[in-house]
Every structure is written in structure tokens, then in C-alpha cells.
């Protein structure tokens, strides 16, 4: 499954802002779609992926296509 920052309708945004105020926290909204199968990585491939995540300050996910 691939997730990205969600597109939010104005009325929904107001509800999220209200929740943020109640909780005193910032809320991030994600939309997930496109079912994907995670790729099985060998240990060296996984280590390479982790190093790239650290370098780029991102979370990376390998999937089979």
C-alpha cells in the first residue's frame, strides 16, 4: 500500500484543526491506496536501503511490481 499526504475537504480540515486544539498536538493526514507487496530483501540489500534512508532522512519501502 502506498500512502501520501491526504487531500482534505474544508469541512474535514476544520474537524482536524478542532482535534489538534483539543489534544494540543499536530495531526498529519495520510491517504493510502494502491495495494503493493513488500519486496523480500537480502540482508545486504536491506542494509543498503537503511543507509540510504539515514542519508536522505526519508522512509523507503521496496515493493514488488
Amino acid at each position: 500500500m502506498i500512502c501520501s499526504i491526504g487531500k482534505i475537504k474544508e469541512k474535514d480540515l476544520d474537524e482536524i484543526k478542532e482535534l489538534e486544539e483539543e489534544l494540543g498536538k499536530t495531526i498529519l493526514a495520510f491517504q493510502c491506496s494502491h495495494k503493493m507487496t513488500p519486496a523480500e530483501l537480502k540482508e545486504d540489500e536491506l542494509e543498503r536501503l537503511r543507509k540510504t534512508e539515514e542519508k536522505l532522512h526519508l522512509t523507503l519501502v521496496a515493493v514488488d511490481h
Side-chain angles (χ1 to χ4, degrees):
M1 190 172 295
I2 300 292
C3 298
S4 60
I5 299 293
K7 293 182 182 178
I8 302 171
K9 297 176 186 169
E10 192 65 36
K11 70 178 184 79
D12 297 335
L13 182 58
D14 291 340
E15 189 168 337
I16 292 170
K17 286 180 181 180
E18 183 180 313
L19 179 60
E20 285 181 322
E21 288 180 26
E22 274 181 47
L23 300 177
K25 307 287 182 196
T26 300
I27 307 293
L28 302 177
F30 293 92
Q31 274 180 310
C32 299
S33 60
H34 309 293
K35 289 190 176 194
M36 301 257 175
T37 304
E40 290 193 33
L41 299 177
K42 297 175 189 169
E43 192 59 40
D44 62 323
E45 294 172 324
L46 186 57
E47 184 57 31
R48 177 70 172 100
L49 185 83
R50 287 181 183 143
K51 285 181 180 181
T52 303
E53 285 181 321
E54 289 176 17
K55 178 181 179 183
L56 302 177
H57 303 282
L58 295 171
T59 298
L60 303 175
V61 178
V63 297
D64 289 325
H65 39 128

